[in-house]
Amino acid sequence: LKQPSWLQHPRGGACPAWRSPQRPRRRAIRGPGPAAANRVEGQYIDMAMSRLSNTVRLAARRSAWSTARAYTPMIAFRAGSGSANLGNRNAEELILQLRQVIEKDSTAGLHQLANEWFSRADVDRSMFLEAKELASLMAEVGVPLQGQEVETFFSHFDVAKVGRISYADFTKTLRGEMPQFAASLAFMNQYRGHYPSNLVALKSDLDVFDRDESEEWLESLDAVVDHHGPLKARFLVHELIDQAVRKGLKVSPSITTPMLNTIPTSMEPTYPGDLAMERRISNLVRWNAAVMVSDGNKRAAGVGGHIGTFASICDMWEVGMNHFFRGKAYPGGMGDQVYMQGHAAPGAYARAYLEGRLSLERIMGFRQEVDGKGVPSYPHPRLMPDFWENPTVSMGIGPLAAVTQARFFRYLHLRGMADTSGSRVWCFIGDGEMDEPESIYAIARAGYERLNNLIMVVNCNYQRLDGPVRGNSKVIQEFEGVFRGAGYDCIKLVWGSAWTSLIERDSDGRFIDVLERTPDGDCQRFSAKQDGALLRKEMFIDNGIGHLVEHWSDDELLAAYLQPGGHDHQKIYAAFAQAEKNAESGGRPTVILAKTLKGFSLATFQGRNTVHQQKTMKEEEMMDFRTVLQIPLSDEQIKMGGAGLGGEFFRNPGPDSPEVKYMLERRAALGGCYPMRTPAKVSSLIRLPDASIWTGFDQGSPKEMSTTMAFANLLRRMMKAGDFGKRICPMVTDEARTFGLNSFFHEFKIHAPFGQHYTPVDHDSLMKYSEAPDGQMLQEGISEAGALCTWIAAGTSYASQGCPMLPFFIYYSMFGFQRVGDFIWQAADARTRGFLLGATAGRTTLNGEGLQHQDGHSLLIALTNPAVIGWDPAFAYELAYIIEDGIQKMWGEDKDLIYYISVYNENYIQPAVPEVKTLGKTAKEGCLKGLYKFAEAPADKDLTVRLVGTGSIMKQVLDAVDLLAEFGVGCELWSATNIGEMHREAFRKERYARLHPMEQPPSFWVKDCLGDYDGVTVFASDNISQYPQLIEKYVGGDFVILGTDGFGRSDTRVKLRRFFEVDKESITVAALSALSRQGKVKPEVVVQAMEKFEIKYERPDITMDGCLPVD
């Protein structure tokens, strides 16, 4: 059968030689032959959809290079200077001219040269060019070859004299003095363009491939490219791939799509609200938010704030508030959780002011909170516990918290703890914030968890705090690739209605091409300059598409450009509605990439690099702003407000106005105002477990046990305690076996929303790795940051869903406060209630891991967080008392506290609770106050010292008793469980005494216990010495502190404790030395002890050689 002329290869001739001659050829999607030259590409799409089969996969792979090509910025080559002796130039002259062309257009020129190469070389998948094709390429890039020059130039590259050259041969010869990296950029950028396709071999060997049909599909695509252009072919390929995915074919979709709105105008739903009314409301909210910051800084210079961020998201915020964000009374949970960009907080206050939830006095106190009348800078539940729910500053903590919140909502639902079917999580994040590693991890996690209840909105205003996010490229395209690659449904909200009308007039795709290759830095400049003539020249006339905007004046053109999709209510609604639909019926998270303008509608701020630092508006700027937003304010009112009288320029039309009524009606329909925090009163909801759970260790244990294993034992008891036990959320970061929790795998199951679809390698063992949708244990993977955020979601569920859950997160203590302290601060801000267990604690107790793992300072860092109470128990019964106390305070008394507890991995016999009392209090009471007497000093000793121990070093303290007895010294023993709280109590009492000079100074526990004493007290700990120094001034007599200052290192516990001088021998020598200084023993006794125990002053330390002064 003769091949139709319009499907012949550009070289001429019939089908490739490898086509099977036994089969008649069948036509796939027919390209535009002579009788069908005017078909629109929609007909091709429809025909393609009807014939989808496995051939879609092959067509998609075959077209991948052209898809990549379409996303490379296209440039118009400028001819090099070259020689005037046309037709007789030698190879060196021609190469020089080509280099000049490439250098003029920099890397973009090299990219384009490569694309043009493969547009020719890929016709028959050979990846080679012959002489005529090379000449055509050179003419295209601006170096036309004439006469003998074709053969001369080609021979220069065809070193092997085979009659064809590869792109590798070409670039290697061309490179010359050019840097290798620059010369190989375009080469590396191609999508498999420099490798022959392995599909050729596959199709030759396997009968499953219909070679004729595959070739016809490819030829049809070539025909579309030839007759309709690459842009329309690109759209066709995208449609085919998307349909293939919808049909369940295992084909990877493209990670980027054209720089267009995902939802075309024809598919937008009808706007359900009063659009004119909502625009007026948006203007009121935007106005009040801006003047809130400006007014605050005029009346209290330097308080700061941000005007530009909320100006960029105001329209999206308002569309969400009027139509999407669900309040606490919405069915199927307690509404949505919305993570707002922290810098946009004034917008939430401005709306709450119109709703009547915040008074004028409060919003005039923006960032002026000390007197209790103002509002905080950012979303801070700790400061506004009835308003904010989710802290989102500092950068990066919001996205990861939002992802784990969405995941925990699903956890609650699958475990039957709460109905969260109607609750979604919305996360607004700035494009600059996407640089944070937490943001990137959040994207990946939501993707593989398939969190369809998560909607992320990236505010792409193209600006960081100092300048552009990606000045040289397209940040929206970049983010689309990231999100789509992670498995998101990606909705691009790029252009407003007016600008979209231009795109719809673009018949040949040149305008879209211009938009895709205009760098974000130039887009930002057009917004900031606000010059319609400049925009017309650089974007349209210079690119040969000036005819598209001939019907618009410069002002009309500029107005269309200055209202991108993120400021067009109709477009926003369409994007949000699709995202909501995805959340209800989709199987993966959604992201909306919204193009906005930072400082939108603020003429002197908009799009400028300085907009983030703009804190005030001049009178003239406010008047212009007023006019743009149509705010009913006179010039005189603005001047009066600017004179410091305050309040005159805030606009609230009042509760009976149509605007406020509309706002409240819309919020009522969505379940109530937002943001709003309504925590459950846990003390009235949950019955705490019987006291017998906490007394299991009171009698001690003859079997050696670590406090880590004691915790595992106690945790199991709690989890079996009826309804209370179901609310326990144990979580680990892939270290359950280290912490003795591997038996929990089978008993309580690991939470896995999609179940366990494989047979684990230990399936035949008693403690097998078992996953289930209703599993109680949270196995968080190797991410302390992710686990901390899940812990926050669990510890705030009493407020977010009215469903109290009690999280216990156990981890390597070194990777807690030191590694993710910012998230623990966020947890405190969010009023999280829960337990953090710093396991394998102690610089010498975790003996083998070395410098990066050995922790001796987390308790000191914990003290910097006001909501954290840090504990260092030595014995199992202490641990039980502390956890009981924490649960009583968090759930029995509704206190928003975090308990941090150090637990150790050293096994020793656990003693019974001592009967001795401390100032009339039991050991349990003293333990919970931070210090109690463990044993009295023997009466038969003339000399006594007081030994205080904490954590695992308490065992060394106990062992030092017998050594000191050999020197005739008796010991009074104390256990210190909480140095930090004793310090805080002392600080509070000292302040009281300072400000009540007429009263007797109040007493406090550490001074009462240790203050009235003139002897020797030795304090030994596996923490650095700065921690016990917090109570040093309250201890009477001589106070000797032994701590583990310095870097950790790997060795046995015995050697480590000798190196850091916290072993029993070092404690003995320290006590004797202090007694010697008091004149109670001779110095020779100390020397004798040092010789006996082989303790020396010299202590080489490779980690600090040459860094410390010589003593």
Side-chain angles (χ1 to χ4, degrees), residues 647-663:
E648 288 293 329
F649 43 57
F650 285 94
R651 288 292 91 187
N652 189 334
D656 296 327
S657 67
E659 291 83 0
V660 174
K661 284 183 177 180
Y662 184 90
M663 295 170 68

Side-chain angles (χ1 to χ4, degrees), residues 556-629:
E556 290 171 329
L557 174 61
L558 182 63
Y561 184 78
L562 294 182
Q563 191 176 43
H567 297 293
D568 188 315
H569 284 225
Q570 174 65 50
K571 303 290 185 185
I572 296 167
Y573 180 84
F576 279 25
Q578 183 60 49
E580 186 173 64
K581 182 179 179 181
N582 293 349
E584 293 172 355
S585 59
R588 52 184 180 170
T590 299
V591 63
I592 298 171
L593 302 175
K595 176 173 166 54
T596 65
L597 299 179
K598 195 165 187 176
F600 177 73
S601 67
L602 291 155
T604 56
F605 294 7
Q606 185 169 278
R608 299 184 182 276
N609 284 339
T610 58
V611 64
H612 192 80
Q613 281 71 38
Q614 294 291 341
K615 316 297 181 186
T616 59
M617 292 186 289
K618 300 175 183 177
E619 287 181 0
E620 296 78 10
E621 293 171 330
M622 292 187 69
M623 291 176 188
D624 290 341
F625 191 33
R626 177 262 334 257
T627 302
V628 170
L629 298 182

Side-chain angles (χ1 to χ4, degrees), residues 435-455:
D435 289 341
E436 292 285 357
E438 294 87 354
S439 300
I440 299 301
Y441 169 69
I443 295 169
R445 183 164 191 178
Y448 69 70
E449 291 274 1
R450 288 181 265 172
L451 297 174
N452 62 295
N453 59 341
L454 173 70
I455 301 169

Side-chain angles (χ1 to χ4, degrees), residues 817 821 824-829 861-869 898 984:
F817 283 89
I824 300 176
W825 194 267
Q826 179 191 22
D829 191 351
I861 302 175
L863 189 64
T864 65
N865 192 316
V868 175
I869 299 178
I898 297 169
R984 284 172 172 168

Side-chain angles (χ1 to χ4, degrees), residues 390-623:
N390 303 303
T392 53
V393 172
S394 59
M395 294 291 183
I397 65 174
L400 185 51
V403 168
T404 53
Q405 183 72 272
R407 177 172 176 262
F408 194 76
F409 278 0
R410 186 174 64 185
Y411 171 89
L412 291 175
H413 195 85
L414 292 175
R415 287 198 58 219
M417 304 303 297
D419 177 11
T420 62
S421 59
S423 294
R424 296 83 54 89
V425 177
W426 299 75
C427 178
F428 286 80
I429 175 175
D431 48 0
E433 192 174 1
M434 288 285 292
D435 289 341
E436 292 285 357
E438 294 87 354
S439 300
I440 299 301
Y441 169 69
I443 295 169
R445 183 164 191 178
Y448 69 70
E449 291 274 1
R450 288 181 265 172
L451 297 174
N452 62 295
N453 59 341
L454 173 70
I455 301 169
M456 299 190 81
V457 183
V458 183
N459 177 20
C460 298
N461 57 36
Y462 295 173
Q463 291 183 253
R464 291 197 191 103
L465 277 61
D466 289 334
V469 177
R470 301 285 190 273
N472 289 313
S473 60
K474 307 296 293 182
V475 73
I476 289 179
Q477 298 297 88
E478 173 192 328
F479 291 165
E480 181 186 25
V482 172
F483 279 101
R484 284 171 66 96
Y488 282 66
D489 272 324
C490 187
I491 300 172
K492 286 158 80 169
L493 176 60
V494 187
W495 311 114
S497 298
W499 200 258
T500 300
S501 69
L502 288 182
I503 296 173
E504 292 169 351
R505 298 182 64 199
D506 181 25
S507 60
D508 57 6
R510 293 171 65 192
F511 184 35
I512 296 175
D513 177 54
V514 170
L515 293 175
E516 291 188 335
R517 60 183 172 84
T518 302
D520 286 353
D522 282 335
C523 293
Q524 179 191 352
R525 175 169 57 88
F526 294 144
S527 300
K529 295 297 184 182
Q530 301 180 46
D531 185 339
L534 174 70
L535 178 61
R536 181 186 301 273
K537 178 183 182 302
E538 293 197 15
M539 183 172 284
F540 294 91
I541 296 175
D542 289 353
N543 289 287
I545 55 174
H547 62 280
L548 287 178
V549 290
E550 287 176 343
H551 63 298
W552 278 352
S553 67
D554 288 346
D555 289 343
E556 290 171 329
L557 174 61
L558 182 63
Y561 184 78
L562 294 182
Q563 191 176 43
H567 297 293
D568 188 315
H569 284 225
Q570 174 65 50
K571 303 290 185 185
I572 296 167
Y573 180 84
F576 279 25
Q578 183 60 49
E580 186 173 64
K581 182 179 179 181
N582 293 349
E584 293 172 355
S585 59
R588 52 184 180 170
T590 299
V591 63
I592 298 171
L593 302 175
K595 176 173 166 54
T596 65
L597 299 179
K598 195 165 187 176
F600 177 73
S601 67
L602 291 155
T604 56
F605 294 7
Q606 185 169 278
R608 299 184 182 276
N609 284 339
T610 58
V611 64
H612 192 80
Q613 281 71 38
Q614 294 291 341
K615 316 297 181 186
T616 59
M617 292 186 289
K618 300 175 183 177
E619 287 181 0
E620 296 78 10
E621 293 171 330
M622 292 187 69
M623 291 176 188

Side-chain angles (χ1 to χ4, degrees), residues 270-278 322-323 573 662 666:
T270 302
Y271 199 84
D274 185 336
L275 195 50
M277 174 71 75
E278 291 185 23
N322 287 321
H323 301 285
Y573 180 84
Y662 184 90
R666 292 307 309 144

Side-chain angles (χ1 to χ4, degrees), residues 137-191:
L137 172 65
M138 291 301 102
E140 181 72 23
V141 301
V143 186
L145 306 178
Q146 300 182 13
Q148 187 61 31
E149 291 176 346
V150 175
E151 183 62 30
T152 300
F153 191 69
F154 182 81
S155 299
H156 186 77
F157 294 96
D158 184 18
V159 179
K161 306 302 179 187
V162 294
R164 61 179 187 173
I165 58 174
S166 68
Y167 186 73
D169 296 332
F170 181 74
T171 55
K172 180 179 179 181
T173 308
L174 175 66
R175 186 177 300 132
E177 300 302 321
M178 295 172 64
Q180 182 174 354
F181 175 71
S184 61
L185 268 177
F187 174 70
M188 297 172 64
N189 185 63
Q190 300 307 306
Y191 185 91

